[in-house]
Amino acid sequence: MTAPSPSPAAVHLVGGGPAGLMAAETLAAAGRPVVLHDAMPSVGRKFLLAGKGGLNLTHSEPRPGFDTRYGEAAAALAPWLDAFPPQALCDWAAGLGVDTFVGSSGRVFPAEMKAAPLLRAWVQRLRQQGVVFRMRERWLGFERPAPAPSSDAAEPAQAPPPLRLRFAGPQGESTVPAAACLLALGGASWSRLGSDGAWVAPLAQAGVPIAPLRPANVGFHVGWAGQAAGWSAPLRARQAGAPLKPVRLRMVGPDGTVFDRAGEFVLSDYGVEGSLIYAAGAALREQIAATGACTVHLDLLPAFSLDKVRADIAHPRGPRSLATHLKSRLGLEGAKAALLQEVLHRGLPDTPEQRPDPADAAALATLLKAWPLRLVAPRPIDEAISTAGGVRLDTLSPGLMLPPGPALPAGVFVAGEMLDWEAPTGGYLLQACFASGRYAAQGLLRWLHHTGA
Ligand SMILES: Cc1cc2nc3c(=O)[nH]c(=O)nc-3n(C[C@H](O)[C@H](O)[C@H](O)COP(=O)(O)OP(=O)(O)OC[C@H]3O[C@@H](n4cnc5c(N)ncnc54)[C@H](O)[C@@H]3O)c2cc1C
């Protein structure tokens, strides 16, 4: 009689966002028992919030253009996207009964523009696959091994400690031994939904290199040298929330790269926010960190050439006011007209030379084609849509395992927004989170196979 083969050891997953849930699905589908812990009473809270904005799941932009949205991290992310490309994400959603469509901007959304139906169907399927959900269990770190007794002999290199995860739960603290674990703890924004970045301390203590967490896809404060206030009171009162579209934003980044793109954003009480600002956000943030401010130039009339704008402004306007003249000839109104007023009547921007004489058509045209917007600080990280920084990608094994060390057990894998990559909005964030969850779980399965666990 042959002995029954032992059931495979359970994998412990921490973090039930898109990355963790996708990892759970991959592991369970491979026949591994999976226990998923999350500090919150339910999983996917940020995913549900993303659903309030329509749930932009991914983008229809073909690869390799798609990959370039991840900037410097693009090469490191390519294998994740190979493992779970955008089309696979759409097919996967369809498998959960959620059809997707491509919006006019190329962004991909579920037909219902909501996250709840997808999450509900997904969690139900995971339960059927045997995934055990342990809610209200906060991961605190790894159990630290007792220090070895000292001896006079030369110390051998310290072996990694056994993998034991510490949790704080409703019943107090507990320690869980695991064959392997996968952390998908998210970034550090919207902390009330669970992603609070508190994982940085225990991982740093274990010797994991972590790039500082910074806000990404977030608004920026405007400010002008020598002036306490940002926008003038009239602009804040009348234009906060007003869209600025279409507009073109140009800047030279700290490394000399030129950002020059058309799009839209909104004026806010404190400054500016919205997709075009988010797209330029990484360069804006780094420039501000380096020099304290970043001036970008806005083409408020991107549909018209400088010559056309100049000629239209110079066209005789009779008794009409300048504002009426610009509106009728160039369609300049609303938030765009308010920006002109900021310069002409409220003493912006910084230097008097930049303030044109309203009678000087050439100077006015130059201002409308290159309005100097000075940004001085990003909004706080807790407000951000996503987080830059995190576990450094160059420290990870090709399967996304952390390198074991004296304070770091072997068999710890990581996925999702807690890794050091960033991308603009447009579906690129969720796509990378899903794909990294799939890819890290595949790496974990290979590692278990090799170690025989
Ligand atoms: C307002 C808003 C709108 C968004 N819209 C979109 C969009 O339309 N498209 C898009 O691509 N992206 C969008 N995003 C971004 C996207 O939601 C995130 O990038 C994504 O949810 C990150 O997935 P994740 O699995 O890495 O982490 P998260 O979704 O943040 O999940 C992390 C999980 O880990 C748990 N956790 C954290 N620490 C611990 C701990 N110590 N112990 C136990 N559990 C812990 C948390 O409770 C949480 O459940 C949006 C974000 C916001 C804030």
Side-chain angles (χ1 to χ4, degrees), residues 361-377:
L364 215 49
T366 303
L367 176 68
L368 291 173
K369 294 292 284 178
W371 199 94
L373 174 68
R374 189 168 181 271
L375 304 171
V376 290

Side-chain angles (χ1 to χ4, degrees), residues 14-314:
V14 197
L21 293 173
M22 184 53 80
E25 177 170 294
T26 309
L27 293 164
R32 276 280 162 183
V34 179
V35 182
L36 190 146
H37 310 253
D38 197 294
M40 300 302 282
S42 59
V43 294
R45 293 192 165 206
K46 192 179 271 186
F47 185 64
L48 288 174
L49 177 72
K52 293 204 169 139
L55 194 67
N56 183 193
L57 277 173
T58 184
H59 202 286
S60 61
E61 179 179 21
R63 299 181 67 196
F66 191 106
D67 301 31
T68 62
R69 306 296 171 177
Y70 300 100
E72 285 174 9
L77 266 74
W80 314 355
L81 299 172
D82 293 344
F84 196 60
Q87 185 56 49
L89 175 44
C90 298
D91 296 344
W92 167 85
L96 286 166
V98 174
D99 289 332
T100 51
F101 72 95
V102 181
S104 54
S105 59
R107 296 172 180 222
V108 177
F109 299 92
E112 282 189 72
M113 306 281 285
K114 286 183 191 153
L118 193 152
L119 184 64
R120 214 177 301 123
W122 194 12
V123 170
Q124 195 183 358
R125 191 166 78 184
L126 289 170
R127 285 191 201 284
Q128 284 162 1
Q129 288 174 311
V131 175
V132 174
F133 288 86
R134 298 189 59 160
M135 297 294 100
R136 296 191 170 88
E137 291 201 349
R138 166 171 290 279
W139 178 69
L140 301 176
F142 305 109
E143 188 178 64
R144 290 174 80 94
S150 67
S151 89
D152 291 341
E155 294 281 331
Q158 249 182 296
L163 178 53
R164 294 173 66 84
L165 303 160
R166 290 174 49 231
F167 288 98
Q171 318 301 331
E173 279 196 31
S174 59
T175 303
V176 177
C181 79
L182 194 149
L183 305 175
L185 303 170
S189 74
W190 291 77
S191 53
R192 64 190 170 82
L193 302 180
S195 325
D196 57 11
W199 52 264
V200 169
L203 282 189
Q205 258 174 26
V208 177
I210 297 167
L213 304 187
R214 285 152 295 149
N217 294 307
V218 74
F220 283 83
H221 289 266
V222 295
W224 280 270
Q227 301 208 20
W231 296 131
S232 65
L235 183 138
R236 286 205 307 274
R238 291 192 207 115
Q239 302 295 339
L244 209 59
K245 66 176 182 179
V247 72
R248 199 167 185 96
L249 188 154
R250 286 197 201 96
M251 72 172 288
V252 181
D255 58 356
T257 48
V258 176
F259 180 97
D260 184 354
R261 202 174 297 170
E264 59 186 76
F265 61 89
V266 296
L267 302 182
S268 60
D269 191 46
Y270 58 79
V272 290
E273 62 188 37
S275 57
L276 187 57
I277 297 297
Y278 301 159
L284 295 173
R285 192 188 60 225
E286 299 314 316
Q287 176 90 22
I288 291 169
T291 62
C294 178
T295 299
V296 302
H297 288 94
L298 301 177
D299 182 348
L300 299 176
L301 296 167
F304 304 130
S305 70
L306 180 63
D307 284 348
K308 153 93 176 147
V309 173
R310 196 188 298 119
D312 274 8
I313 295 172

